[in-house]
């Protein structure tokens, strides 16, 4: 009887060892797949011009299973929001209409009251503030943790998410230069507003001749140039 019990215990121990080994190997495989996949995603983000087709190809699939799959999807959701924000900001910064604001052509078309120009600048300022607000929120621990908040994950998966998957964003979260971009752009918009306000306030003191802005006196010309020079100081 004791011999039979010993055999049963031995079998159970063997099965336990096999099961534990299976779980260990499976976990190792899933973890390796996860890190490789997210590394591929981050490499696609580390370029000057994003290839949205390739990025979306990765973001729209899940290569791992179980809790690994949950943190993979969470990390990709975060990346998707980050990429969307980046695309919005890129579109904002590449708006050719912004470049045209302080041109003779715009002065002729919309001056001297600059009603459309002022409306446009307000829209640009409001949209920049929204982008900055979303960026700052995206960089908070609260926002980062929200993607895994209700997934019921064990601490080991939470650690993988925070340290291995989101670690690459830690540099962005503390990048003062990146944060200062919003301040610089706001200052540039301030200069645009100041220049347009100056022209509107001195509507009878300037004209356009041969595609050139002409003031009635050098004092006003110098004031205008001083305002415009502020833009170079912000670059």
């Amino acid at each position: 009887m004791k011999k039979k019990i010993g055999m049963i215990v031995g079998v159970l121990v063997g099965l336990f060892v096999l099961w534990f080994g299976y779980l260990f190997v499976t976990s190792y495989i899933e973890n390796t797949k996860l890190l490789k996949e997210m590394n591929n995603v981050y490499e696609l983000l580390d370029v000057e011009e994003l290839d949205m087709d390739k990025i979306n190809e990765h973001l729209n699939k899940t290569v791992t299973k179980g809790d690994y799959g949950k943190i993979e999807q969470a990390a990709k959701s975060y990346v998707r929001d980050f990429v969307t924000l980046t695309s919005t900001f890129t579109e904002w910064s590449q708006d050719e209409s912004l470049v045209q604001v302080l041109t003779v052509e715009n002065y002729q078309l919309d001056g001297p009251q600059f009603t459309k120009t002022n409306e446009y600048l307000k829209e640009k300022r409001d949209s920049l503030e929204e982008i900055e607000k979303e960026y700052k929120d995206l960089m908070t621990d609260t926002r980062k943790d929200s993607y895994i908040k209700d997934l019921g994950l064990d601490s080991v998966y939470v650690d993988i998410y925070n340290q291995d998957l989101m670690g690459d964003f830690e540099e962005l979260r503390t990048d003062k230069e990146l944060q200062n971009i919003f301040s610089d752009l706001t200052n540039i918009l301030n200069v645009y507003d100041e220049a347009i306000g100056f022209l509107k306030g001195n509507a009878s003191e300037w004209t356009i001749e041969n595609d050139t802005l002409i003031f009635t006196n050098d004092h006003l010309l110098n004031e205008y140039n001083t305002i415009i020079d502020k833009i170079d100081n912000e670059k």
Side-chain angles (χ1 to χ4, degrees):
M1 186 61 149
K2 290 183 179 180
K3 186 175 181 180
K4 289 183 178 179
I5 293 176
M7 291 177 60
I8 294 174
V9 171
V11 171
L12 291 177
V13 170
L15 290 175
F16 175 79
V17 171
L18 288 174
W19 178 244
F20 180 80
Y22 169 78
L23 291 179
F24 176 82
V25 172
T26 300
S27 178
Y28 175 80
I29 292 174
E30 292 299 296
N31 187 66
T32 301
K33 287 164 58 178
L34 175 61
L35 297 182
K36 181 179 179 180
E37 170 68 7
M38 293 309 299
N39 184 61
N40 289 336
V41 172
Y42 292 139
E43 285 183 352
L44 290 173
L45 298 180
D46 191 23
V47 294
E48 291 186 4
E49 186 172 347
L50 298 180
D51 187 333
M52 293 308 303
D53 289 336
K54 288 185 178 180
I55 291 173
N56 286 326
E57 181 181 342
H58 282 278
L59 297 183
N60 292 333
K61 68 179 180 180
T62 306
V63 301
T64 56
K65 299 177 293 184
D67 287 339
Y68 280 103
K70 291 180 180 180
I71 58 176
E72 178 188 348
Q73 291 173 352
K76 287 182 174 180
S77 293
Y78 182 95
V79 171
R80 183 179 290 106
D81 287 346
F82 177 80
V83 170
T84 299
L85 181 61
T86 300
S87 298
T88 301
F89 179 71
T90 300
E91 182 179 347
W92 188 99
S93 61
Q94 294 179 349
D95 181 7
E96 294 184 1
S97 296
L98 186 59
V99 180
Q100 297 298 318
V101 169
L102 300 182
T103 62
V104 169
E105 181 181 4
N106 185 56
Y107 296 168
Q108 288 178 313
L109 291 174
D110 198 35
Q113 296 304 310
F114 296 101
T115 302
K116 292 182 179 180
T117 300
N118 284 322
E119 291 177 353
Y120 169 75
L121 289 175
K122 184 180 184 306
E123 291 175 358
K124 292 296 289 185
R125 184 182 297 276
D126 290 345
S127 60
L128 180 63
E129 289 176 353
E130 285 298 316
I131 293 172
E132 181 179 11
K133 179 181 178 182
E134 173 66 7
Y135 170 77
K136 288 182 176 179
D137 180 63
L138 199 60
M139 293 298 108
T140 63
D141 286 332
T142 300
R143 177 67 175 272
K144 180 192 67 174
D145 295 343
S146 69
Y147 294 84
I148 59 170
K149 182 179 179 180
D150 299 319
L151 298 182
L153 298 168
D154 289 336
S155 60
V156 62
Y157 297 102
V158 174
D159 289 341
I160 293 173
Y161 173 79
N162 286 322
Q163 298 172 14
D164 297 333
L165 304 190
M166 305 304 293
D168 284 1
F169 282 94
E170 194 62 34
E171 184 176 344
L172 286 176
R173 288 151 61 85
T174 58
D175 190 340
K176 298 298 182 182
E177 182 177 349
L178 184 59
Q179 295 173 15
N180 289 338
I181 288 178
F182 292 107
S183 177
D184 293 341
L185 290 174
T186 297
N187 290 337
I188 289 176
L189 288 179
N190 291 339
V191 176
Y192 276 44
D193 282 333
E194 185 178 359
I196 295 300
F198 179 80
L199 293 175
K200 182 178 179 179
N202 295 279
S204 62
E205 304 294 331
W206 59 271
T207 57
I208 303 296
E209 298 178 13
N210 298 322
D211 294 329
T212 302
L213 177 64
I214 305 295
F215 286 95
T216 56
N217 61 72
D218 289 341
H219 175 70
L220 290 175
L221 175 61
N222 291 334
E223 283 193 62
Y224 174 80
N225 286 336
T226 298
I227 295 173
I228 299 302
D229 287 343
K230 294 179 182 179
I231 296 177
D232 292 330
N233 295 331
E234 295 297 336
K235 292 180 179 179

